[in-house]
Amino acid sequence: MRALDVTRTALGNTMRSKLRTFLTVIAIVIGAFTLAVTTGLAAGVNQTIEDMVDGYGDQDQIYVMQASAMGQGEDTGPGPQEYDPDTAGQQSEFGQAMLTEEDIETIEGIDGITNVDPIFFVSPDYLEAPDGGQYLLSELGLPADASGMELVAGETPARDSMEITVPETWLAIFDDADDDYEDVDPESVLGETVELGISDMVRESHTVEAEVVGVSVQNLAGIGGSPMPSHALNDELYEIQSSGLDVEQDDAFVQAAADVEDMEAFEDSIKEALQEEGLVGLTVEDFMGIIQTVIDAIAWVLYGFAVIALIAASFGIVNTLLMSVQERTREIGLMKALGMSGGRIFGLFSMEAVMIGLLGSLIGVGGGVLTGVVANALLTGSGGPLGDVGGLILYAVSPVAILSITGLVVGIAFLAGTLPAARAAKKDPIEALRYE
Amino acid sequence: MSTPVLETENLVKVYGRGAARFDALKGLTFEIHDGESVAIVGKSGSGKSTLMHLLALLDEPTAGVVALEGRPVSQLDPKKVSRLRNETFGFVFQQFFLNANQSVLDNVTLPLKIGGWGRSQRNERGMEVLEQLEIADKAKNRATDLSGGQKQRVCIARALVNRPSVIFADEPTGNLDTATSEVVEDILFGLHRDQGITLVVVTHDEDLAGRCERRLHMQDGLIVAEEHGVITPGQLDTTFDPAQLGLEDEEDRA
Ligand SMILES: Nc1ncnc2c1ncn2[C@@H]1O[C@H](COP(=O)(O)OP(=O)(O)O)[C@@H](O)[C@H]1O
Ligand SMILES: [Mg+2]
């Protein structure tokens, strides 16, 4: 029998008892669907992260913090800690070890590092629009993140000028006529001047003026979701925030962003040097790597469930085909009598299993991809609940994944088919055709 | 007479073992010549079907040899044997064994499909034999929609489709009424006469047996008598003349 005829006959046979085939296929569909959705989801989110990493440009920054803040460094154990006056007072509100001015100088001294910006958190009170309206401003973006920001208009704030960007969602404050920010042209607000209100340590209010130079959209990491000042503006605000008391206080920072001359050449040596100082340096890629590891772990758990579903489905195939072989004993005997070899009979029944697998994976993968694409469009499209997160891809279609899932499902189906197929191949034509 | 298409030598078939051992065939040696029509007759359980299965290479003997066109078959590997069956034999069964869910044409062309023919060629050949058997108008029908006689015609068409040199028929008229039997017999012997196809028929039907050129009478796994010559209805003679058997064999060798 020709391969084409084997295929055609197998397809015809599976279509003979449609309900039984359908029920067998359902289990496979569930497994294939889960695999298709999961791979697409993992691919989409990882794609988003990669896009973000790419968005950081030349990725020439390394983020430095105390090793103990990362759960690394010397062992602190659960018992009482020895008091050290030098390190006391250098912990954040949450008890994290902080970087000192001294640390910053050390970092600056490392080979390959050109500039170090300590990262500190500024809490202004309000932002005043040109028309005098004041808006609550609990959070400011970190200037160090500026390179990762997605802009719809203008540019990122220049380091040494008193400049600021605002999120797209804030545009309505510049235009009395429009309540909906989507109706405001982002270009029209560039060059406007806003005032930032901030209180010092004795709660006395101060204001600082800044020029709007860009309009941002929030990306997956949250960057661009709140107004982002330039370095100079941020420093100025910090200065005000920590002034007002007559006591001199040592500055301490949770993190510092260090600019690196040539990341490829210096990354390892810088990290090593930092480690010697009890510090840890992480690049953007390292951060994203951590996120990707988590996403991959979740994806693998889902793959596991899908594969369990497929294994359960394969028993369905075994069962269905064993029944089919039993019912078609006569037909098999006849084919053998008419000269079909055992090998071809085996091929025919394996092909039926493959057909069931193929059918299941076509429906499952097709449904999964369709669901993913539609859900992605609904959730992240404009107007969707996640539409404001710039650059977010929840689901990416990957031809390689689709082909491998189909291959896997068909492979499992084939394996499931070998037992019934071997049974069929072994049938004795005389026994099968006996009618007494 | 021409060379034997099928030969057997000391053919033994034993079913089961120990207490359940049953000697179905007890050492048969005979020849079937090309273009001959042979009937294997005998009571139920005498071993007729067992013998036919061995001749048709559907089963392997416990001992002894079956040779096809002078070549012993037992040395061939199963794949070759399948191929031989597919290309040189045609089968007609008492129970028809048509696939209910397929059309008449698909049933008839099954041996060609197994033999690896392309679809258009095998449909062409299938229609040819259906026309020959005058049931071409039923080609698209489902096999189950036919009468008994029509079904047996389809079976004969299927047996013929690969232009076999031997047709094996196990009780081909066993499920048919007398009138239909006659038609089916006419078809079989017409093919035998016109196309020189060797016929090996297992039957209870004396009428059918009588139309064969030779009858092998079986009893308890042995050929107990052999009869030559076509018997026209009415002068049926089942008596056995050993002298005649020897005479014929002498003639063959000459
Ligand atoms: N597979 C088998 N196992 C055991 N005994 C068998 C088997 N096939 C046939 N027989 C026995 O061999 C004998 C001959 O059978 P068979 O050739 O079918 O007889 P017939 O066709 O002449 O009626 C019978 O007694 C039958 O019971
Ligand atoms: Mg019988």
Side-chain angles (χ1 to χ4, degrees):
Chain A
M1 203 186 261
R2 292 185 177 186
L4 181 66
D5 279 322
V6 170
T7 313
R8 213 164 9 201
T9 309
L11 185 63
N13 287 342
T14 47
M15 287 299 126
R16 212 190 285 176
S17 44
K18 290 197 178 61
L19 181 63
R20 191 195 288 173
T21 302
F22 171 71
L23 291 174
T24 313
V25 161
I26 284 181
I28 303 165
V29 168
I30 293 170
F33 180 89
T34 313
L35 278 179
V37 169
T38 310
T39 49
L41 203 59
V45 174
N46 280 332
Q47 178 69 50
T48 307
I49 292 170
E50 260 156 44
D51 287 350
M52 275 167 52
V53 172
D54 287 346
Y56 276 75
D58 25 340
Q59 293 169 30
D60 49 2
Q61 277 184 328
I62 219 165
Y63 291 84
V64 185
M65 63 208 87
Q66 289 284 2
S68 57
M70 283 291 287
Q72 300 171 13
E74 56 225 85
D75 183 20
T76 46
Q81 306 285 313
E82 196 137 347
Y83 176 73
D84 180 353
D86 285 343
T87 56
Q90 289 176 6
Q91 288 193 335
S92 74
E93 292 168 65
F94 307 110
Q96 263 197 331
M98 310 268 274
L99 297 171
T100 60
E101 293 277 11
E102 214 175 301
D103 290 327
I104 301 293
E105 271 164 43
T106 317
I107 299 166
E108 263 168 350
I110 295 174
D111 265 354
I113 289 183
T114 52
N115 179 47
V116 181
D117 285 313
I119 293 175
F120 33 76
F121 296 98
V122 176
S123 312
D125 301 322
Y126 62 86
L127 183 147
E128 190 178 308
D131 68 359
Q134 294 184 340
Y135 301 90
L136 191 64
L137 187 61
S138 50
E139 207 186 341
L140 270 187
L142 294 174
D145 293 335
S147 56
M149 191 162 59
E150 228 175 280
L151 292 166
V152 291
E155 50 200 28
T156 53
R159 170 176 281 272
D160 299 319
S161 314
M162 299 298 257
E163 292 179 349
I164 194 165
T165 61
V166 292
E168 195 183 27
T169 49
W170 282 54
L171 288 179
I173 68 169
F174 298 98
D175 193 332
D176 290 329
D178 284 305
D179 283 338
D180 193 347
Y181 70 85
E182 282 173 17
D183 297 335
V184 182
D185 176 16
E187 299 286 344
S188 70
V189 308
L190 300 181
E192 298 270 11
T193 301
V194 293
E195 240 171 47
L196 295 166
I198 188 162
S199 310
D200 64 17
M201 302 278 275
V202 291
R203 309 227 50 81
E204 194 174 318
S205 220
H206 301 263
T207 59
V208 183
E209 279 193 354
E211 187 193 339
V212 176
V213 293
V215 178
S216 62
V217 273
Q218 185 171 5
N219 70 11
L220 192 60
I223 296 172
S226 45
M228 179 182 287
S230 65
H231 280 281
L233 178 58
N234 201 49
D235 287 349
E236 172 80 17
L237 290 170
Y238 184 72
E239 203 65 33
I240 296 169
Q241 178 175 275
S242 44
S243 68
L245 287 178
D246 281 340
V247 270
E248 191 59 36
Q249 205 189 12
D250 280 341
D251 281 333
F253 318 100
V254 175
Q255 261 185 22
D259 293 337
V260 180
E261 204 175 276
D262 180 352
M263 189 58 95
E264 229 169 291
F266 287 104
E267 182 173 353
D268 290 339
S269 69
I270 291 174
K271 281 183 176 170
E272 229 164 87
L274 287 171
Q275 201 170 10
E276 270 168 37
E277 301 292 333
L279 304 171
V280 168
L282 291 174
T283 62
V284 174
E285 257 178 78
D286 292 337
F287 276 116
M288 296 312 179
I290 294 168
I291 300 174
Q292 275 173 326
T293 309
V294 172
I295 288 168
D296 286 345
I298 296 170
W300 278 108
V301 170
L302 292 175
Y303 294 155
F305 285 130
V307 169
I308 289 171
L310 285 177
I311 290 170
S314 71
F315 285 98
I317 296 180
V318 174
N319 190 34
T320 303
L321 286 181
L322 277 180
M323 273 198 285
S324 174
V325 168
Q326 199 55 40
E327 280 169 15
R328 282 151 62 190
T329 298
R330 276 263 145 100
E331 191 186 327
I332 296 164
L334 178 68
M335 288 193 290
K336 288 194 94 170
L338 296 183
M340 189 137 157
S341 67
R344 281 292 174 182
I345 299 267
F346 181 90
L348 181 62
F349 277 85
S350 314
M351 188 52 86
E352 285 186 30
V354 166
M355 284 295 157
I356 291 175
L358 208 58
L359 202 64
S361 54
L362 283 184
I363 299 173
V365 173
V369 169
L370 200 70
T371 307
V373 168
V374 170
N376 188 47
L378 289 180
L379 289 171
T380 65
S382 62
L386 299 171
D388 297 336
V389 187
L392 176 64
I393 308 167
L394 271 184
Y395 191 90
V397 180
S398 147
V400 176
I402 289 174
L403 288 180
S404 0
I405 295 169
T406 309
L408 176 76
V409 173
V410 170
I412 289 177
F414 171 79
L415 284 181
T418 52
L419 174 70
R423 266 247 174 125
K426 271 205 290 241
K427 285 229 180 270
D428 176 7
I430 298 170
E431 284 298 317
L433 296 177
R434 186 181 295 288
Y435 50 82
E436 282 99 343
Chain B
M1 230 182 211
S2 53
T3 53
V5 61
L6 281 164
E7 291 171 85
T8 69
E9 198 177 280
N10 190 30
L11 208 56
V12 173
K13 182 69 186 180
V14 178
Y15 291 114
R17 59 178 70 165
R21 179 187 160 107
F22 182 81
D23 294 37
L25 297 180
K26 298 171 181 166
L28 307 184
T29 306
F30 63 95
E31 295 171 352
I32 294 172
H33 292 272
D34 202 6
E36 219 186 349
S37 59
V38 178
I40 302 171
V41 291
K43 287 201 189 114
S44 181
S46 56
K48 306 183 297 289
S49 297
T50 303
L51 175 58
M52 195 202 82
H53 293 152
L54 291 179
L55 291 177
L57 311 182
L58 286 167
D59 204 358
E60 282 172 31
T62 311
V65 180
V66 175
L68 180 67
E69 273 146 9
R71 281 181 306 153
V73 176
S74 41
Q75 284 109 318
L76 295 178
D77 77 296
K79 238 183 168 157
K80 278 232 179 72
V81 172
S82 291
R83 181 143 274 256
L84 271 179
R85 265 208 313 274
N86 181 257
E87 287 171 357
T88 49
F89 296 158
F91 291 93
V92 179
F93 306 96
Q94 180 184 358
Q95 297 298 104
F96 316 132
F97 296 131
L98 297 172
N99 286 328
N101 54 297
Q102 287 177 344
S103 72
V104 164
L105 183 62
D106 285 347
N107 268 289
V108 166
T109 55
L110 181 60
L112 302 183
K113 184 158 135 184
I114 290 169
W117 288 43
R119 181 135 82 164
S120 57
Q121 286 134 294
R122 63 181 193 243
N123 283 349
E124 201 176 302
R125 171 68 187 147
M127 287 313 296
E128 207 176 294
V129 284
L130 284 176
E131 259 153 41
Q132 195 180 335
L133 293 168
E134 291 163 11
I135 38 168
D137 55 322
K138 301 274 188 251
K140 295 275 173 284
N141 286 40
R142 279 167 151 255
T144 38
D145 299 342
L146 305 178
S147 70
Q150 287 171 328
K151 278 182 188 166
Q152 201 54 297
R153 269 194 225 203
V154 173
C155 284
I156 295 172
R158 181 176 62 195
L160 267 184
V161 79
N162 58 342
R163 305 180 206 277
S165 48
V166 185
I167 288 185
F168 292 96
D170 194 349
E171 308 277 10
T173 56
N175 264 359
L176 304 175
D177 59 65
T178 326
T180 320
S181 292
E182 198 126 337
V183 176
V184 168
E185 282 169 28
D186 286 344
I187 293 170
L188 281 176
F189 286 99
L191 291 169
H192 166 64
R193 189 182 57 237
D194 300 339
Q195 301 183 19
I197 295 176
T198 310
L199 270 186
V200 179
V201 183
V202 168
T203 187
H204 278 108
D205 186 341
E206 293 186 336
D207 219 34
L208 172 56
R211 291 180 71 166
C212 292
E213 294 161 352
R214 192 149 61 109
R215 281 161 296 286
L216 302 173
H217 289 270
M218 288 194 70
Q219 199 179 310
D220 297 332
L222 285 169
I223 295 177
V224 293
E226 191 172 335
E227 254 184 313
H228 290 261
V230 176
I231 300 163
T232 46
Q235 57 166 118
L236 212 64
D237 179 16
T238 48
T239 50
F240 170 56
D241 179 3
Q244 194 187 5
L245 174 74
L247 220 110
E248 284 282 332
D249 278 353
E250 291 290 334
E251 274 174 15
D252 284 350
R253 265 172 221 124

